[in-house]
Amino acid sequence: MTVATSEKIPPAWGTIIYMGIIHFIALFALIPSNFNWNALGIAFVLYVLTAGVGITLGFHRLVSHRSFTVPKSLEYFLVFCGTLAGQGGPLDWIGLHRIHHQYSDKQQDPHNSLKGFYWSHLGWMLCKNPANEYITRYSKDIS
Ligand SMILES: [Zn+2]
C-alpha cells in the first residue's frame, strides 16, 4: 500500500460539523435545571452498550480480529450496538482498524501515534485521511 504523505491533509468538514453539534448539544446537560441522575444513569448504560459492547466487543474483537465466534444473530446485534456509538459504520471502522494494525505507528497508520497525541486521538478523525481510499480492500470480507 502506498499512501500519499503530504503534511497538508484537508479537513473532513462533515465530521467536524457533526462532532461540533454533538458536543454543543451535550453542553446543555451541564445546565443545572437539565441535570438529573436518571438521565446520567441511562447515559452510562448507553455508553457501555454502544462503546463497550458495540465497539470494543463487536467492531473490534469480533469482526476486526475475529477473536471469537458467536451466532450470526448475536454478531449482527453487537455490530448494531457499535453503529449507535457515533463512530461511523462498521466497514469504515473495521477497514481503518485493520490498516492501523498492519502499519502500527508507521507513516501509513491512519492514527499514527508518532504524529503526536492530538493526531492519534482526535486529529486523524477530523481530516480526510489518506488511508480512507484503502478501506474497501481491508473490509472486503465483511462488505
Ligand atoms: Zn485491534
Side-chain angles (χ1 to χ4, degrees):
M1 178 172 91
T2 305
V3 175
T5 57
S6 169
E7 288 300 315
K8 190 85 174 157
I9 301 174
W13 286 111
T15 305
I16 292 168
I17 291 168
Y18 168 77
M19 297 281 267
I21 290 171
I22 291 293
H23 286 86
F24 178 75
I25 291 170
L27 290 175
F28 285 95
L30 298 177
I31 297 171
S33 62
N34 291 342
F35 182 85
N36 92 45
W37 287 103
N38 290 335
L40 186 63
I42 290 169
F44 180 74
V45 168
L46 290 174
Y47 168 74
V48 170
L49 188 65
T50 60
V53 173
I55 296 294
T56 303
L57 191 63
F59 278 20
H60 187 213
R61 300 310 319 170
L62 177 60
V63 184
S64 291
H65 297 298
R66 293 292 178 199
S67 303
F68 57 97
T69 57
V70 295
K72 218 46 169 170
S73 58
L74 181 55
E75 181 175 323
Y76 290 157
F77 174 74
L78 295 175
V79 169
F80 173 72
C81 290
T83 64
L84 300 176
Q87 295 188 18
L91 294 176
D92 288 348
W93 198 101
I94 292 161
L96 280 174
H97 189 70
R98 288 174 173 171
I99 294 170
H100 160 69
H101 272 288
Q102 182 163 6
Y103 298 103
S104 194
D105 295 335
K106 294 188 176 101
Q107 187 64 36
Q108 300 95 327
D109 183 350
H111 35 91
N112 181 356
S113 65
L114 299 177
K115 289 182 175 177
F117 182 84
Y118 172 76
W119 177 262
S120 63
H121 288 86
L122 181 66
W124 71 276
M125 287 184 272
L126 304 179
C127 295
K128 293 187 175 175
N129 202 308
N132 287 354
E133 68 181 275
Y134 302 98
I135 288 173
T136 52
R137 187 186 308 165
Y138 285 82
S139 57
K140 224 181 274 179
D141 62 311
I142 58 170
S143 62

